[in-house]
Amino acid sequence: MNGNPLYHGIGLAVGTLLVLPLAVAVLNGWTPRGLRGRRLARRPYAWALLCVYGVMPLNAVPRMLDAPSGVVTACTGLGFAFIVAAAACFFRAERVSRRFRSAEEG
């Protein structure tokens, strides 16, 4: 069930290098080119990315440590809670952006 720990370690390292710096940079005030028009919504996007990142160690670390299947299943289930939180953050960011755009137009 756990597979090769090397593959999980590589996936965790790649995910850490790609997702975590972007989320931390956005939380510190940097705005990616695609979000420049949505300045008010950048924080919910960053929190959503942090939630997505939270799934990575939850799935990789128990498998790398060859944890029992109950622990792996529990961590995977907890990962779904992080995905729901990320979706809520993305929806909040969109709602804030729409409210801001409608206030500018109206």
Side-chain angles (χ1 to χ4, degrees):
M1 175 177 190
N2 292 339
N4 188 344
L6 178 64
Y7 297 135
H8 295 292
I10 291 170
L12 183 59
V14 169
T16 299
L17 291 175
L18 293 177
V19 177
L20 193 58
L22 177 64
V24 170
V26 171
L27 280 175
N28 284 327
W30 178 73
T31 304
R33 186 174 53 226
L35 295 178
R36 294 250 163 87
R38 302 177 179 201
R39 285 204 181 268
L40 288 180
R42 71 178 177 215
R43 292 187 72 80
Y45 279 113
W47 283 111
L49 286 174
L50 285 175
C51 287
V52 169
Y53 173 73
V55 175
M56 294 175 195
L58 272 175
N59 280 324
V61 172
R63 288 178 169 89
M64 289 168 58
L65 297 175
D66 200 28
S69 62
V71 173
V72 173
T73 304
C75 288
T76 302
L78 186 58
F80 283 116
F82 275 87
I83 293 298
V84 169
C89 289
F90 281 128
F91 284 130
R92 183 178 176 340
E94 183 59 30
R95 189 180 59 196
V96 168
S97 294
R98 279 191 184 163
R99 207 176 314 149
F100 182 68
R101 279 182 287 191
S102 66
E104 278 184 339
E105 294 170 359

